[in-house]
Amino acid sequence: MSTARLEPRKSPRQQRALDTRRRLLDAAARVFAEHGYAAGTTNRIAEEAGHSIGSLYQYFPNKDAILVELATEHAHAGIEVIQRYLHGGPLPESLEAKLRLFVRAALESHRDAPELHRVLFEEAPHPPELLRTLREAEATIVSAARGLLEADPSVRRADLDMAARLLVASIESLVHRFVGWGRPEDADRFEAELTAMLLHYLRAA
């Protein structure tokens, strides 16, 4: 897939154009969540946004480009959530409480639009540009996790680089599965059990 097919056609500067672009992206998120990626056509997106198909093509060459934009926004939002939890005030002293921060941040990033998240990362194609964005987002979170593990004397893993990667990957994967179960009322139980599992791993000799 060529880079040109994934790049927006127009970078709006005026507020009216910014609003139009935002409406198209929000409409695409709703359409993908309701109909899935294959049936989430540009015609449906334009109709949902209240714009003509011609207006949509002024901003995006195809729905792949819209997907990349939505997934990129999602990745950046996930980083912002982590940073808010880590830098919003003094961190708790216990390793258990720090792990809960990571689990809670992942839950917050996923729970608002589970159907859209499923479409973005299970149904839709993953072009190289999107994969690169996701890898960069993951690397940022892994680096933050590595710093927390290194600073905590109760962590007994010798390979902190691998431990940080496993920590982030485990949280991401298991939170994704939990959200897919559609049982938000169990979020507190899930958070407690996942935290306990990770805590045992990090403290094991």
Side-chain angles (χ1 to χ4, degrees):
M1 186 178 295
S2 69
T3 302
R5 280 182 51 80
L6 301 172
E7 293 179 350
R9 282 181 167 164
K10 187 176 184 179
S11 297
R13 298 179 182 275
Q14 296 183 350
Q15 190 59 48
R16 181 177 178 182
L18 289 169
D19 291 343
T20 298
R21 187 175 186 275
R22 183 72 262 165
R23 281 194 297 272
L24 289 166
L25 287 170
D26 291 344
R30 294 192 297 271
V31 168
F32 288 150
E34 181 178 355
H35 300 283
Y37 186 71
T41 63
T42 51
N43 282 321
R44 273 183 165 154
I45 293 170
E47 182 179 358
E48 176 69 20
H51 289 285
S52 68
I53 190 66
S55 293
L56 182 149
Y57 286 134
Q58 287 180 4
Y59 295 90
F60 301 100
N62 48 59
K63 70 176 183 178
D64 291 335
I66 298 174
L67 163 76
V68 170
E69 187 70 18
L70 287 173
T72 300
E73 286 186 350
H74 177 82
H76 290 164
I79 293 176
E80 289 174 3
V81 170
I82 288 286
Q83 291 177 336
R84 186 170 72 248
Y85 273 94
L86 295 180
H87 305 298
L91 289 175
E93 293 185 5
S94 73
L95 178 60
E96 179 180 5
K98 291 171 186 173
L99 290 174
R100 279 184 177 271
L101 285 181
F102 273 86
V103 175
R104 199 167 297 158
L107 283 168
E108 182 177 328
S109 297
H110 289 69
R111 67 188 175 194
D112 289 340
E115 286 302 316
L116 174 62
H117 188 273
R118 179 181 58 77
V119 169
L120 290 177
F121 298 105
E122 292 183 12
E123 290 188 25
H126 290 171
E129 289 79 4
L130 174 54
L131 291 175
R132 183 166 55 250
T133 296
L134 296 177
R135 283 195 295 268
E136 290 171 354
E138 182 181 47
T140 298
I141 298 172
V142 168
S143 177
R146 173 67 165 79
L148 288 183
L149 297 183
E150 186 175 20
D152 196 306
S154 70
V155 175
R156 303 186 66 184
R157 308 313 303 174
D159 189 342
L160 292 182
D161 288 333
M162 182 59 68
R165 289 185 179 278
L166 290 175
L167 174 68
V168 172
S170 297
I171 292 174
E172 173 67 21
S173 177
L174 292 173
V175 166
H176 182 75
R177 279 182 166 272
F178 170 74
V179 172
W181 294 341
R183 297 171 60 179
E185 68 275 11
D186 290 338
D188 289 342
R189 289 171 55 205
F190 172 82
E191 180 182 307
E193 292 301 312
L194 179 53
T195 299
M197 183 183 78
L198 296 171
L199 188 64
H200 179 76
Y201 161 69
L202 292 171
R203 284 181 172 169

